[in-house]
Amino acid sequence: MADKRFVSLQLGQEGSGLVSGSLTRRHLLAGAFGLSSIALFGSGARAAIPAPEVLPLESQDYAEARRRFHTRLLRKMAAPEKSSPLGTPPGAERVTYRGGPDGSIELVAWLSHYQPSKALKPAVLFLHGGNATGDGHWALMKPYWEAGFVVLLPSFRGENGQNGNYSGFYDETSDALAAADYLENLPGIDKRRFFVAGHSNGGTLTILAAMSRKFRAAAPISAGVNSWRYFNRYTDEICFDETNEMEFIMRSSVCFGPSLKCPAFLLRGTEERPFDADHQLFVERAWSSGFKVDKKLLPGTHNGVVPGAVEESIRFFNQFS
């Protein structure tokens, strides 16, 4: 059953930033997932970040580009949401994994209970939305384990009082990849049925992860593909060298569409900012990867779509036996 606090949220268009009064998207995300309602925002407005008229298409593979590129953080900061230290929600086992790429940070993840056996089990790595981890995120994972999947929901660097510096998607992708390695190598996991999904910021990370390594399939929910758009909306989260265009390119999956390494199903709510030209450009560019990319609108707001999207992702994943 979905978390009632989550389902009752009514968010405005994702692209609006401000929802009503002084409530921002991040305040509402916090309430949805059982986090503190306090969000950290920079003071004062900033000039818009210039975006290229035509989004670049990089010729090198994204995984190779990540091996060569290192983000330059000009501001060292925790993840930009205040949140409580992580406990262990019902139905979860608290585990730790070594955040990537060098395994220097120990981070908390929640793993569904399962018994390893000779009959290997499919698994889903689910990457949460927002910039903090809350019990409400885990409550939404129940359909996965009820459908027979082992599910891991990792936290990321700098979240919930943990070590590490927030980087705005780049080093968090390394954490997601490290969490994937952790889950994939647990006993009893079927590596041929190993999937990735995620919502909002986690949907963005889902695509970046699926361009970095092979999964059987990916289901990004309400994902962004254009980092210029995101950081023009949330300028307080810019902690890297914004004068270097590659910092934005390396956070934008639309610039690496041919690097997709598995089939993908993009899901989005009917009451949030719709699929736009950037998403369509990503789909067109990903065509040359050889993997099919579909997209579908489901009833709901940016947050309210998640329960239905989880169910839709299960149907999608079950096509791969």
Side-chain angles (χ1 to χ4, degrees), residues 181-198:
D181 289 344
Y182 174 89
L183 176 58
E184 185 180 37
N185 288 291
L186 288 177
I189 299 300
D190 187 348
K191 295 184 178 183
R192 297 171 302 174
R193 292 183 294 160
F194 184 53
F195 306 96
V196 63

Side-chain angles (χ1 to χ4, degrees), residues 67-113:
R67 283 189 282 270
R68 297 172 181 269
F69 180 82
H70 299 281
T71 188
R72 181 176 176 230
L73 299 182
L74 302 182
R75 184 162 58 112
K76 303 297 176 68
M77 58 184 283
E81 287 181 32
K82 284 190 175 180
S83 50
S84 302
L86 291 169
T88 308
E93 175 186 353
R94 178 189 168 110
V95 299
T96 58
Y97 73 99
R98 307 298 303 187
D102 57 2
S104 60
I105 304 174
E106 185 175 79
L107 298 169
V108 172
W110 292 328
L111 176 70
S112 60
H113 297 296

Side-chain angles (χ1 to χ4, degrees), residues 16-287:
S16 67
L18 196 64
V19 180
S20 64
S22 62
L23 282 181
T24 63
R25 166 179 170 272
R26 189 171 299 129
H27 283 92
L28 293 177
L29 282 170
F33 298 114
L35 305 170
S36 165
S37 63
I38 300 173
L40 301 181
F41 288 92
S43 58
R46 295 180 46 151
I49 301 162
E53 193 169 318
V54 177
L55 294 172
L57 175 60
E58 295 296 299
S59 59
Q60 61 181 329
D61 182 78
Y62 185 65
E64 179 60 30
R66 287 188 62 84
R67 283 189 282 270
R68 297 172 181 269
F69 180 82
H70 299 281
T71 188
R72 181 176 176 230
L73 299 182
L74 302 182
R75 184 162 58 112
K76 303 297 176 68
M77 58 184 283
E81 287 181 32
K82 284 190 175 180
S83 50
S84 302
L86 291 169
T88 308
E93 175 186 353
R94 178 189 168 110
V95 299
T96 58
Y97 73 99
R98 307 298 303 187
D102 57 2
S104 60
I105 304 174
E106 185 175 79
L107 298 169
V108 172
W110 292 328
L111 176 70
S112 60
H113 297 296
Y114 80 104
Q115 289 296 325
S117 65
K118 290 183 179 179
L120 300 179
K121 299 179 183 297
V124 175
L125 175 70
F126 193 93
L127 309 177
H128 68 75
N131 290 309
T133 311
D135 289 4
H137 291 117
W138 182 252
L140 293 164
M141 300 298 97
K142 188 176 180 181
Y144 284 123
W145 72 72
E146 288 183 337
F149 293 86
V150 178
V151 60
L152 182 77
L153 191 151
S155 62
F156 301 115
R157 61 188 59 226
E159 291 183 348
N160 302 80
Q162 297 181 101
N163 291 331
N165 295 307
Y166 174 78
S167 77
F169 299 110
Y170 191 74
D171 290 335
E172 289 79 5
T173 299
S174 295
D175 293 339
L177 295 171
D181 289 344
Y182 174 89
L183 176 58
E184 185 180 37
N185 288 291
L186 288 177
I189 299 300
D190 187 348
K191 295 184 178 183
R192 297 171 302 174
R193 292 183 294 160
F194 184 53
F195 306 96
V196 63
H199 170 242
S200 193
N201 284 6
T204 300
L205 291 172
T206 294
I207 303 177
L208 294 172
M211 298 192 307
S212 303
R213 56 152 290 166
K214 289 184 177 180
F215 293 89
R216 188 64 186 89
I221 305 165
S222 303
V225 298
N226 177 345
S227 69
W228 287 274
R229 180 189 291 275
Y230 180 89
F231 289 109
N232 264 310
R233 192 176 308 141
Y234 302 114
T235 56
D236 61 299
E237 295 185 14
I238 299 175
C239 49
F240 51 84
D241 181 4
E242 64 186 272
T243 66
N244 181 359
E245 187 179 58
M246 280 305 297
E247 293 280 8
F248 293 95
I249 289 173
M250 293 300 295
R251 291 164 167 85
S252 299
S253 56
V254 70
C255 297
F256 292 92
S259 295
L260 189 67
K261 294 177 173 58
C262 67
F265 194 15
L266 279 63
L267 301 168
R268 204 166 187 87
T270 54
E271 297 178 52
E272 62 177 321
R273 182 174 61 82
F275 290 115
D276 57 24
D278 296 339
H279 293 99
Q280 184 57 39
L281 183 59
F282 170 77
V283 171
E284 292 170 2
R285 288 176 171 182
W287 182 84

